[in-house]
Amino acid sequence: MADKIDLKEQPHRRLNPLTKEWIKVSPHRTKRPWNGQVEKPMLDKKPAFDPACYLCPGNERAGGHKNPDYKGTFVFENDFAALLKDTPQSELNDGLFQAKSERGLCKVICFSPRHDLTISLMNLQEVTAVVKTWQKEFTDLGKLDYINHVQIFENRGSVMGCSNPHPHGQIWAEEIIPDIPATEQKNQKEYLKKNGTSLLTDYVASELEKKERIIFENDSFAALVPFWAVWPFETMILPKRQMRNIIEMNEKESTDLADALKRMGTRFDNLFQTSFPYSMGLHQAPTDGEDHEEWHFHIHYYPPLLRSATVKKFMVGYEMLGMPQRDITAEGSAARLRDCSEEHYTLTIGA
Ligand code: H2U
Ligand code: ZN
């Protein structure tokens, strides 16, 4: 093998140790200077209450349910749940044709009664209330004997297929551990067995030392672009100390997580001066009654945007058939997000 690889100049691939998948990086293609395409900042004002929104307080949802006049967060069982509690256990076992019934339940969480807010525009106390709601749901759902995994997530923006701008997230709680957290678990277990320490606890500590992919930190959390990021502005929020799930956080850590969520959201919105679309979600230890010493909970953000509020990355062609690829490096993306202000653009340009 020749000299040390030049991650800034040479085409290369990087390993994601959580999934054991590779990402191809072509940094030489970004020699042109960054010209963060100038588009008009998005300043459209939404109403604080929308009579046509099925998530606003007091409004009617599908099936005749009426939302209460809620003041903080509000949780309800999804009227079109993808998983049902009373599915009978059954399976198809016919050679290449395999199927199993799935049991679970789905909930929707309104983050705020205000139709016009997002995590980045809510105050710290309001975002802390979202974190506390996640903790309560994780605790309650995790106790159900047929629930072994609780997936908390937020899907935001019309390009992500989310049609309702009212700030909300979802929870899918189910019997099985879905494939992605199951793979992360397998690799965290293997790492623990080999090294005697937790993969992500070691990872966050060495990123904090290296600094080049860190976006910001507070006392309890670090926000970074992972070395193996696939999406141009993919990020992670990781607790600095090992915690298997969000109910291991103390009061201070819960507020610090809210602080990190708000700051991450604000930097994202400021990057292209738009209400930044993404899918984000928590990965935590399963609620299957096992110890899970290997787990270090974390949040993934997967935003689709590449160069501006309207130019998104498509995973097509070679990527659909071969493997994912990116031009801008994780370090370049981290630098851009690091340069973003933590004052929301709509508040500073007089919207
Ligand atoms: P997204 O917009 O993030 O996809 O989620 C909204 C969820 O709200 C969606 O899963 C549910 C949909 O099933 N929903 C209700 O539970 N009741 C309604 O009246 C409309 C939508
Ligand atoms: Zn609404």
Side-chain angles (χ1 to χ4, degrees):
M1 194 78 43
D3 291 338
K4 207 169 148 222
I5 184 165
D6 182 348
L7 297 175
K8 284 199 181 77
E9 301 286 340
Q10 287 177 321
H12 61 276
R13 64 193 156 104
R14 299 185 183 191
L15 178 68
N16 179 341
L18 275 175
T19 60
K20 297 267 167 82
E21 288 168 345
W22 294 84
I23 158 80
K24 203 181 284 303
V25 188
S26 314
H28 58 292
R29 288 185 16 172
T30 52
K31 286 282 105 61
R32 62 204 154 98
W34 172 253
N35 43 2
Q37 183 149 337
V38 190
E39 283 178 26
K40 279 224 306 262
M42 198 185 98
L43 294 170
D44 65 325
K45 271 256 182 228
K46 289 185 194 75
F49 170 79
D50 178 353
C53 168
Y54 58 80
L55 297 176
C56 276
N59 288 353
E60 199 162 307
R61 303 199 312 273
H65 299 95
K66 189 176 180 302
N67 296 329
D69 189 21
Y70 66 96
K71 305 286 182 213
T73 60
F74 167 54
V75 183
F76 61 93
E77 283 203 28
N78 197 313
D79 302 310
F80 304 100
L83 294 162
L84 305 169
K85 317 176 224 233
D86 41 18
T87 309
Q89 280 188 298
S90 50
E91 61 178 64
L92 167 71
N93 194 351
D94 176 17
L96 292 174
F97 304 90
Q98 303 278 330
K100 284 178 197 292
S101 61
E102 294 258 335
R103 272 204 298 176
L105 68 119
C106 300
K107 291 187 167 189
V108 178
I109 307 178
C110 297
F111 294 159
S112 158
R114 287 269 303 266
H115 187 79
D116 56 338
L117 296 183
T118 58
I119 295 265
S120 49
L121 289 164
M122 286 157 60
N123 66 35
L124 184 62
Q125 204 185 345
E126 291 162 339
V127 183
T128 306
V130 173
V131 171
K132 300 237 152 148
T133 305
W134 286 345
Q135 288 169 321
K136 179 178 182 323
E137 290 299 324
F138 185 83
T139 307
D140 294 349
L141 291 165
K143 279 188 195 143
L144 300 175
D145 60 357
Y146 68 100
I147 297 299
N148 293 313
H149 188 265
V150 179
Q151 183 60 59
I152 298 173
F153 65 98
E154 178 191 12
N155 197 31
R156 217 163 88 76
S158 51
V159 286
M160 297 305 289
C162 174
S163 53
N164 193 335
H166 194 112
H168 70 283
Q170 296 193 44
I171 302 180
W172 292 25
E174 61 191 318
E175 198 164 11
I176 60 134
I177 303 169
D179 290 350
I180 297 170
T183 302
E184 290 193 357
Q185 174 165 302
K186 178 173 171 275
N187 291 315
Q188 288 178 99
K189 264 192 179 151
E190 255 175 47
Y191 185 95
L192 178 67
K193 199 164 168 216
K194 189 166 162 218
N195 302 284
T197 48
S198 141
L199 192 163
L200 286 177
T201 317
D202 287 357
Y203 177 65
V204 71
S206 57
E207 286 290 28
L208 283 164
E209 238 165 68
K210 292 183 196 294
K211 293 197 168 62
E212 57 184 338
R213 282 170 295 273
I214 298 287
I215 305 164
F216 65 87
E217 59 179 298
N218 62 25
D219 290 345
S220 319
F221 290 88
L224 52 83
V225 178
F227 179 70
W228 54 83
V230 167
W231 293 91
F233 293 96
E234 177 177 334
T235 66
M236 289 175 82
I237 293 178
L238 298 128
K240 292 181 181 176
R241 75 172 176 104
Q242 187 184 1
M243 286 183 268
R244 293 165 296 182
N245 58 45
I246 51 171
I247 52 184
E248 289 185 6
M249 291 191 294
N250 61 31
E251 281 291 315
K252 155 89 171 131
E253 287 164 336
S254 304
T255 314
D256 282 352
L257 178 57
D259 170 76
L261 293 165
K262 181 174 164 61
R263 290 166 69 185
M264 188 73 255
T266 304
R267 285 173 182 269
F268 272 153
D269 286 356
N270 286 342
L271 182 66
F272 299 132
Q273 300 201 324
T274 194
S275 190
F276 204 70
Y278 57 70
S279 277
M280 72 86 109
L282 285 86
H283 276 155
Q284 318 185 59
T287 57
D288 56 1
E290 283 173 30
D291 232 6
H292 292 298
E293 291 169 281
E294 73 280 8
W295 264 97
H296 183 117
F297 96 75
H298 54 277
I299 299 180
H300 292 283
Y301 286 82
Y302 299 114
L305 297 184
L306 171 63
R307 229 172 317 147
S308 74
T310 56
V311 181
K312 88 183 261 292
K313 176 178 173 74
F314 289 97
M315 288 278 188
V316 296
Y318 176 84
E319 303 186 286
M320 221 173 217
L321 292 148
M323 65 191 285
Q325 182 270 347
R326 63 184 291 143
D327 292 346
I328 175 182
T329 59
E331 298 71 44
S333 297
R336 259 155 223 163
L337 287 166
R338 212 164 31 235
D339 283 347
C340 288
S341 161
E342 290 189 351
E343 182 100 43
H344 200 275
Y345 75 95
T346 58
L347 306 175
T348 51
I349 55 181

